[in-house]
Amino acid sequence: MKTILILLGSILLAAFFVLMRKEPEKITKPESVATVEICVAEAKDEVVNVYTQGTVEPRTSSTLISKVSGEILSVAPVFYTGGFFKKGDVLLELDPIDYEVALTSAESSLAQSRLSYLQEQAQSAQAKKDWENMGMKGSPSDLTLRIPQLKKAEAAVQSAEAILKQARKNLKDTKIVAPYDGIVTGKKADLGQYVTAGSTLGTIDAVDSAEIRLSVKESDLKYLNLPEKLNVSFDDWAKVELKGTYHGEEISREAQLVRTEGTIDSSSRLIYLVARLNDPYAINSSKKALPYGMFVNATIKGHTYKQLVKLPRYALKGTDTILVVDKDNRIDIRKVKVLKTDADYVYLTSGIKDGEHVCLTALEFVVQGLKVSDVNDLGKTTSEESTTENASNVDLNKEAK
């Protein structure tokens, strides 16, 4: 009995302590807040450009070929690789003596042929008169009137004239004359060298305009101001901004598309557009030169789209998602409609409104409603605290004094 009482007392005592025990204080864990970079979306009219690259190349390139044979007697001071020349400049001159002799001989032959022709005309006219004076009946034969001899003499004159024309041309061809304003890109012959007809003397490029072949994705053509037909004025084609580096200096020049090559590469799906740059060496202007062979970055001006939102490229998560920060500083995972992306920007047509805040930071883990704070606001707070602390220190220093 005593044992039962002791056991019962122990149970009651234990129950008393349990009932009298205080509940442990609950500690609320603070909500995790991610610090992110935020930008404000701005909807406005945007020009959507297409970016590509190319090489500045001459629109006109020629190989100088000797049309006659002879020794090179003179070479123009500008006839060296990199030398500039004007249309009509004599670049090289061959020994003309043989062709001057040939010209004199041709002139003499022509004079003799014309004399023979005049004599035959006179003899033919005399033969007709003699036939009439003799009272012969019927018509005289061609042979009687010396018609074959007259035609032969006339043909001889025409042949002599052709030979004279060729002799004049050969003499003229002893001078290699520049067909346009240009630059020498290769020198293959020099003073004292004997060249034959067909010999290569050098290569030249025109400097009036250059062309740049630009590769563009087929899918990017819809952004460009390209004419539906190819037989339109050049003014209807898109403008192109070219940028290159020459002598350590970045150079920017404006060109214009003038044509497409009309075919699409079946493997790369690229189409080539051709831009024209006037006066690439800036000979007739104060602009900077973009010499032949220079690699340039090209910005082709595209259509203007109404009320586009342009964001940094890295604001786009995946292919069609951005992180919008609402007024409570919480993440709203938002689907958007993308018009175009390039290396730097993404252009959105819907899914976001003007003035909304967009998270730019790449978060390792993100869920709908995640609490965030703007890193710029954090910087402002730190700056304000620092200013307050400095002000307090100043007050303390004043009191100490």
Side-chain angles (χ1 to χ4, degrees):
M1 183 66 177
K2 185 178 180 180
T3 304
I4 294 174
L5 291 174
I6 294 173
L7 180 60
L8 182 60
S10 299
I11 293 174
L12 292 174
L13 183 62
F16 173 78
F17 282 117
V18 170
L19 292 174
M20 295 301 293
R21 185 184 62 179
K22 292 183 179 180
E23 288 290 334
E25 185 179 351
K26 293 183 179 180
I27 300 175
T28 303
K29 184 178 180 181
E31 184 179 8
S32 176
V33 179
T35 302
V36 297
E37 180 185 1
I38 293 176
C39 75
V40 179
E42 182 181 2
K44 61 180 182 179
D45 296 349
E46 290 281 357
V47 177
V48 177
N49 299 322
V50 173
Y51 302 94
T52 181
Q53 306 86 29
T55 302
V56 181
E57 298 176 346
R59 184 169 69 95
T60 304
S61 185
S62 306
T63 300
L64 297 177
I65 302 293
S66 177
K67 297 179 181 179
V68 295
S69 302
E71 180 184 354
I72 299 176
L73 292 185
S74 67
V75 176
V78 296
F79 191 67
Y80 59 86
T81 301
F84 289 91
F85 54 83
K86 292 288 187 180
K87 180 179 179 179
D89 287 352
V90 178
L91 302 179
L92 299 103
E93 186 171 3
L94 307 184
D95 187 354
I97 185 64
D98 292 342
Y99 302 99
E100 291 173 346
V101 171
L103 177 61
T104 301
S105 177
E107 290 173 340
S108 175
S109 296
L110 177 59
Q112 182 63 43
S113 296
R114 284 174 174 170
L115 175 62
S116 298
Y117 178 62
L118 291 175
Q119 290 175 339
E120 284 298 334
Q121 281 183 319
Q123 291 180 17
S124 177
Q126 185 61 46
K128 183 178 182 180
K129 186 181 291 186
D130 291 343
W131 177 271
E132 292 172 349
N133 292 337
M134 291 174 62
M136 304 293 291
K137 296 181 179 181
S139 299
S141 66
D142 288 349
L143 190 60
T144 300
L145 297 180
R146 299 183 63 84
I147 299 299
Q149 292 88 334
L150 183 61
K151 289 183 176 180
K152 179 181 179 181
E154 183 180 11
V157 171
Q158 294 175 347
S159 176
E161 288 175 342
I163 292 172
L164 178 61
K165 184 178 180 180
Q166 183 64 53
R168 286 172 176 166
K169 182 179 182 301
N170 288 342
L171 180 60
K172 181 181 178 181
D173 288 341
T174 59
K175 295 181 179 180
I176 312 302
V177 180
Y180 45 67
D181 293 357
I183 182 174
V184 179
T185 56
K187 183 178 181 180
K188 306 295 183 182
D190 213 336
L191 188 66
Q193 183 176 341
Y194 185 88
V195 296
T196 58
S199 297
T200 299
L201 305 177
T203 54
I204 57 175
D205 293 337
V207 294
D208 59 335
S209 61
E211 291 189 341
I212 303 91
R213 191 168 177 254
L214 305 171
S215 61
V216 174
K217 292 187 293 185
E218 180 188 6
S219 59
D220 282 343
L221 294 180
K222 61 179 176 288
Y223 306 121
L224 301 178
N225 297 319
L226 299 178
E228 295 181 0
K229 297 182 179 181
L230 300 180
N231 58 341
V232 296
S233 169
F234 284 171
D235 293 338
D236 295 331
W237 293 79
K239 301 293 184 181
V240 182
E241 182 184 11
L242 304 175
K243 288 187 177 180
T245 302
Y246 188 54
H247 286 182
E249 179 183 1
E250 185 176 77
I251 300 168
S252 178
R253 295 281 299 273
E254 185 179 75
Q256 186 175 36
L257 293 181
V258 293
R259 68 178 186 275
T260 72
E261 293 193 349
T263 58
I264 298 174
D265 189 285
S266 59
S267 58
S268 64
R269 308 310 302 167
L270 295 176
I271 187 169
Y272 286 91
L273 309 179
V274 179
R276 182 170 297 169
L277 172 65
N278 293 324
D279 193 16
Y281 282 89
I283 296 174
N284 302 310
S285 71
S286 59
K287 299 175 181 178
K288 300 294 184 179
L290 286 180
Y292 295 145
M294 175 181 284
F295 178 82
V296 292
N297 292 308
T299 302
I300 307 175
K301 303 300 181 182
H303 293 298
T304 299
Y305 290 84
K306 302 291 184 180
Q307 295 300 292
L308 280 185
V309 174
K310 177 181 175 182
L311 297 175
R313 176 67 178 82
Y314 54 87
L316 188 67
K317 314 304 178 186
T319 58
D320 61 352
T321 304
I322 62 172
L323 304 179
V324 177
V325 180
D326 63 20
K327 61 182 179 179
D328 297 322
N329 283 345
R330 294 188 179 276
I331 291 293
D332 178 18
I333 302 175
R334 189 86 60 83
K335 292 290 185 181
V336 291
K337 186 174 181 181
V338 178
L339 172 69
K340 184 181 185 296
T341 60
D342 55 38
D344 299 317
Y345 298 101
V346 56
Y347 302 86
L348 308 178
T349 58
S350 63
I352 185 170
K353 298 178 181 179
D354 183 66
E356 288 191 302
H357 291 192
V358 180
C359 172
L360 302 180
T361 303
L363 297 172
E364 184 177 354
F365 178 74
V366 61
V367 293
Q368 184 73 15
L370 177 67
K371 186 76 171 179
V372 296
S373 64
D374 190 349
V375 67
N376 295 321
D377 290 342
L378 182 62
K380 291 178 182 177
T381 302
T382 304
S383 177
E384 291 172 358
E385 291 177 351
S386 176
T387 303
T388 303
E389 183 179 350
N390 290 336
S392 299
N393 291 335
V394 170
D395 291 338
L396 291 173
N397 290 334
K398 288 181 178 179
E399 293 175 2
K401 290 180 180 180

